[in-house]
Amino acid sequence: AGVLLTLDGLAFVMSRIALLDVFEATFIVAAVSALVADRDWFRHRLADRLEASGRADLGGGYGPIIWLRPWRLMAGLMFGLALGTKWNALYALAAFGVLCVLWDVGARRLAGADFRAWLALVIEGIPALIRLVVVAALVYVATWSGWLLTRGGYRRDWGLQNPDHPWTKALGEGFASLLYLHKEIYEFHIGDYIRNATHPYDANPAGWLLMARPIGMDAVNDIKPGTDGCLGPDNCIRVISGMGTPVLWWFAAVALVVCIIWWVGGRDWRFGVPVVGALSTYLPWFAYTDRPLFFFYAITIVPFTVIGLAMVLGLILGDPAAPDRRKRAMIVGVATALVAANFAWIYPVLTDELLPYPQWLARMWLRTWI
């Protein structure tokens, strides 16, 4: 998965341009990784408690409560940093918050708790709320500490200017100012100004997984022969396109469907991680299609679709002892090689490399990419 993500054009461009979305993606993936680690950690601790008590299973009881969950605290920290980068990380926090508590239910059932395992929704759910949501909220507020502890920030003095406002009386001037600023930020993102805006690179999320409309980051058009190294006879162009590696994105879109089937139909919990990760960072954008949206927002989706693709390639690869292992390995190898070759092909349009116009056009496989 790491190799495949390295060969993704969008991840490559975003890592070089350093828009905030790539940092949000990093923190979300770190948070989800911590929750997956917590799942294994919790099950090992539950097994250790059973072994120490000399019991084979919980015998229908709920079993011991394990209060220390360091990986969940780490997940709360990472989600807080993700929220401090961009608010839409809240959807991933909510989705994985529910999923991780359901993992606890599954662990209790496996250990023999029977119907009492569902008590985990409350017994484990409330501490999970504190470890994830409360910790994330505290971390989020901490990311505003520079603004809170200084003067001169935008709207920083709103509380001082409105001492009789209920927010100021209840929260103090600093936090009242912060709350008012958040109100303004939210209203801007749902208000008429942005709803009435248009942009040539507006990309409906319906086309994101198939990379229907990438975004142009930089362009120098119509470079004449004899200037800037352009040899002619055609004019040249330099562009940075915020586009994924097409073969990778198309493979990953198919793999996401396979992951859904394997998770729901095959009851394999592992495939739920990329599915929930991809959908929680993707589907919420459909609520905002009345304002301009851009393909680079999908940088939070691609780590999970790529993980899903790697897992599906693992299914294809199969058991090391299988008699057709060599053929399966060839399929996986060819798929990976195609991704690498495709990345190499689009590399010039990711890096402002000088290209004759026909060579640039040869890399624009769909008209919607222009």
Side-chain angles (χ1 to χ4, degrees), residues 23-315:
F23 300 102
E24 180 194 16
T26 300
F27 290 132
I28 290 176
V29 172
V32 173
S33 300
L35 288 179
V36 172
D38 172 77
R39 181 188 183 278
D40 290 343
W41 184 93
F42 173 70
R43 288 178 175 232
H44 282 299
R45 293 303 180 277
L46 191 58
D48 290 344
R49 295 285 184 89
L50 279 173
E51 185 178 3
S53 67
R55 300 161 63 190
D57 57 48
L58 295 176
Y62 184 79
I65 299 174
I66 300 173
W67 295 107
L68 179 64
R69 302 286 288 267
W71 283 111
R72 278 200 181 163
L73 291 171
M74 176 60 71
L77 170 63
M78 291 297 106
F79 274 126
L81 293 174
L83 287 166
T85 308
K86 200 165 182 177
W87 287 0
N88 62 301
L90 183 64
Y91 295 106
L93 168 59
F96 278 101
V98 172
L99 183 63
C100 73
V101 175
L102 292 177
W103 286 343
D104 288 345
V105 173
R108 299 280 178 180
R109 290 183 64 186
L110 183 64
D114 296 334
F115 70 91
R116 290 182 179 84
W118 291 100
L119 293 174
L121 293 176
V122 176
I123 298 174
E124 309 290 352
I126 294 175
L129 180 72
I130 296 171
R131 296 183 186 109
L132 292 178
V133 177
V134 174
V135 170
L138 292 173
V139 172
Y140 175 78
V141 173
T143 65
W144 285 89
S145 59
W147 186 89
L148 283 167
L149 298 175
T150 58
R151 295 291 179 186
Y154 182 74
R155 295 300 191 196
R156 178 61 186 84
D157 294 332
W158 181 88
L160 289 175
Q161 296 166 1
N162 296 271
D164 296 327
H165 194 280
W167 292 355
T168 308
K169 292 180 177 180
L171 302 173
E173 62 87 14
F175 287 106
S177 299
L178 183 62
L179 184 59
Y180 184 79
L181 175 58
H182 278 60
K183 172 179 173 291
E184 285 201 332
I185 294 171
Y186 181 74
E187 288 175 347
F188 170 81
H189 282 89
I190 64 168
D192 291 338
Y193 173 81
I194 201 164
R195 288 177 184 272
N196 295 328
T198 59
H199 197 283
Y201 285 110
D202 183 14
N204 191 293
W208 285 2
L209 296 184
L210 298 178
M211 209 186 69
R213 182 61 173 161
I215 184 170
M217 299 288 193
D218 181 58
V220 181
N221 298 303
D222 297 325
I223 301 173
K224 304 300 181 184
T227 62
D228 195 21
C230 182
L231 300 179
D234 300 289
N235 287 355
C236 296
I237 188 172
R238 293 181 184 273
V239 299
I240 297 177
S241 294
M243 62 184 297
T245 302
V247 170
L248 175 63
W249 280 71
W250 297 339
F251 282 174
V254 175
L256 183 61
V257 176
V258 176
C259 287
I260 294 172
I261 294 171
W262 224 259
W263 181 35
V264 178
R267 300 178 65 84
D268 190 329
W269 73 270
R270 297 171 299 172
F271 288 85
V273 175
V275 169
V276 173
L279 297 184
S280 65
T281 54
Y282 173 48
L283 295 181
W285 288 109
F286 283 90
Y288 303 99
T289 54
D290 56 351
R291 50 153 288 185
L293 299 175
F294 304 106
F295 176 66
F296 70 82
Y297 296 165
I299 191 60
T300 58
I301 305 170
V302 67
F304 296 107
T305 57
V306 166
I307 289 170
L309 175 58
M311 294 174 71
V312 171
L313 291 176
L315 291 177

